[in-house]
Amino acid sequence: MIASLPARWEQYLLLRAGRVREFWEQHLASSRDVLVIIGRGFDPRMCMGLEVLLAAGGVGQRDVLGLDFREGPRSPSLNHGPLVEQNWTSVVESVGSRGAVSIRPVEFWSSEGRRISSQSARDLFDSDVPFQPYTDVIVDISSMPRSVYFPLIARILYLIDHPTEARKTPLNLHVLVAEDPALDASIQEEGIDEKAEFMASFSGGFDEEAVQTPKVWLPMLGERRQTQFDRIHDRVKPDEICPVLPSPSRDPRRADDIVIEYHERLFDQHRLDGRAFIYASEQNPFEVYRQLRRALQRYEEVFGLLGGCRVAISPLSSKLMSLGALLVAYELKERGHGVGIAHIESQGYALTEVTPEAQLFGLWLAGECDGN
């Protein structure tokens, strides 16, 4: 039973804005060797976290690993090549002699034309050996797609939870994200795939066609994602839909506006009961985690007499909220309660002209904060 499992991330550290800088100044007061993993992308927020880290000072290595997204020769993202190079030049110049800067490719397509981005991200690290020189690993997801940072963070968490004998001290895992819902909404997915799939390591039993248990779908709704919503729905074929809305949020009307945007789908097509909504803080992934966990507990109790149910979560919302879905899916999978992450990808992304008003958030997910 989920209710009997201690909640791993019930009390964890969430930092925002100035507190992120203060934390790193304190954390790096002692000698620490840090690896920062970032997406080598066009997003103007790509360098924010690294700049804060480098400005915090301290002694030790400040290495950077950039993930080069191989989205294919027809990707609209290629139009933003100059922005990618501009961001990467800024990274190299900022790090200077303080650490090593390297690049690793993340293949989005196999030689047979099959989508493999989540598998590629999951398989970037097959052991914790590459992390042996470091006290801290930071994954900055500000310029990463979900299909990359979901399996990547899950893999690193797994390696921390199952360390090799060579590691004598806990490895700290941090996540940084420069959050700007308006900018996220302006980055449009182009060439959306025809079919949704489940992310690597998060099938949640949905690949077992013979299983006849009820299916529950928790779509985390965001603006202008109706096509994604429809295609994920066709893949999951849920018996119950329980949408997740951002509330409270920076825009007090955001949740209402999203409901209006999806009104026909939710109420006319799928006959949704208005009481089915889950509300979770737009800027607190740990609150999202708690709300999703409680919802899964309720569904487990309701469907327990019918042999249980299969649950899929679809993060169509901001990156900060999406992290809450990742945490609950990872925790329950590790404890034998599989949760599917149903997702649909696109050929690439287009960025409209928006002035970034990003706020930097930091999460400390594993390591010394566990008390291990």
Side-chain angles (χ1 to χ4, degrees):
M1 292 288 291
I2 295 175
S4 65
L5 299 174
R8 175 169 179 174
W9 284 286
E10 184 65 36
Q11 299 293 334
Y12 264 70
L13 187 60
L14 173 67
L15 306 162
R16 68 186 72 195
R19 284 287 294 125
V20 178
R21 185 180 298 276
E22 292 173 8
F23 168 80
W24 282 107
E25 288 174 350
Q26 296 169 7
H27 192 67
L28 298 177
S30 58
S31 178
R32 291 183 179 272
D33 296 312
V34 183
L35 172 65
V36 184
I37 305 175
I38 61 177
R40 192 171 178 272
F42 61 82
D43 196 300
R45 299 166 291 184
M46 172 182 150
C47 303
M48 282 185 62
L50 180 62
E51 291 170 356
V52 168
L53 177 76
L54 295 174
V59 178
Q61 284 293 108
R62 303 292 182 260
D63 295 345
V64 175
L65 172 61
L67 303 184
D68 187 26
F69 307 132
R70 306 288 179 84
E71 296 179 272
R74 295 192 297 269
S75 171
S77 301
L78 297 176
N79 295 328
H80 305 299
L83 291 176
V84 175
E85 294 306 321
Q86 178 180 321
N87 283 342
W88 191 246
T89 298
S90 177
V91 167
V92 174
E93 292 176 349
S94 297
V95 174
S97 62
R98 299 191 61 186
V101 178
S102 58
I103 298 174
R104 290 185 66 176
V106 178
E107 299 293 345
F108 278 45
W109 299 95
S110 71
S111 57
E112 298 82 18
R114 181 171 55 88
R115 175 76 74 173
I116 59 168
S117 47
S118 65
Q119 294 94 322
S120 298
R122 177 195 61 192
D123 297 339
L124 279 170
F125 303 102
D126 58 6
S127 75
D128 66 349
V129 172
F131 303 131
Q132 294 295 344
Y134 303 105
T135 58
D136 297 80
V137 172
I138 302 171
V139 181
D140 190 326
I141 68 172
S142 302
S143 59
M144 291 187 194
R146 290 176 183 84
S147 62
V148 171
Y149 69 78
F150 262 66
L152 174 61
I153 294 173
R155 169 65 74 165
I156 298 175
L157 280 170
Y158 178 83
L159 296 175
I160 289 174
D161 290 340
H162 304 85
T164 60
E165 294 182 1
R167 176 162 288 278
K168 304 303 181 184
T169 58
L171 175 65
N172 296 306
L173 174 61
H174 311 265
V175 174
L176 292 178
V177 55
E179 178 79 350
D180 185 346
L183 181 56
D184 285 334
S186 74
I187 298 176
Q188 293 299 301
E189 298 177 347
E190 295 195 352
I192 301 169
D193 288 355
E194 290 297 319
K195 294 182 179 180
E197 295 296 342
F198 288 86
M199 286 192 190
S201 301
F202 291 106
S203 66
F206 281 83
D207 53 355
E208 301 171 10
E209 295 299 331
V211 177
Q212 297 300 316
T213 53
K215 292 178 286 188
V216 178
W217 182 38
L218 282 67
M220 304 173 66
L221 300 182
E223 294 85 353
R224 294 188 286 279
R225 298 292 188 271
Q226 295 99 321
T227 300
Q228 292 89 330
F229 178 95
D230 292 341
R231 293 179 184 176
I232 296 173
H233 178 276
D234 291 343
R235 175 64 179 88
V236 176
K237 296 181 173 61
D239 300 291
E240 297 278 346
I241 303 177
C242 186
V244 182
L245 293 170
S247 180
S249 67
R250 291 168 66 179
D251 176 1
R253 286 193 50 83
R254 187 180 178 210
D256 293 335
D257 291 340
I258 290 174
V259 171
I260 292 171
E261 185 177 339
Y262 287 82
H263 188 278
E264 180 180 354
R265 286 168 171 78
L266 297 176
F267 299 108
D268 297 339
Q269 294 182 20
H270 303 304
R271 305 295 181 184
L272 187 73
D273 187 328
R275 295 170 294 181
F277 289 104
I278 296 174
Y279 297 89
S281 174
E282 175 186 80
Q283 295 191 328
N284 191 336
F286 295 119
E287 170 64 15
V288 176
Y289 157 80
R290 288 189 286 269
Q291 293 286 9
L292 292 176
R293 202 176 190 278
R294 293 187 191 115
L296 299 187
Q297 178 184 333
R298 290 196 300 270
Y299 279 114
E300 182 182 64
E301 294 169 352
V302 169
F303 289 107
L305 296 177
L306 300 176
C309 64
R310 287 172 287 170
V311 177
I313 303 175
S314 294
L316 300 171
S317 55
S318 67
K319 290 182 177 178
L320 199 56
M321 287 192 70
S322 297
L323 286 171
L326 170 60
L327 296 182
V328 73
Y330 175 80
E331 176 195 304
L332 297 183
K333 181 177 185 290
E334 277 289 283
R335 295 172 175 178
H337 295 258
V339 176
I341 301 294
H343 177 66
I344 189 165
E345 298 193 53
S346 62
Q347 303 295 321
Y349 302 86
L351 175 65
T352 57
E353 292 294 330
V354 173
T355 301
E357 297 181 0
Q359 188 176 28
L360 189 63
F361 287 78
L363 291 78
W364 191 356
L365 296 184
E368 298 168 49
C369 57
D370 286 322
N372 294 336

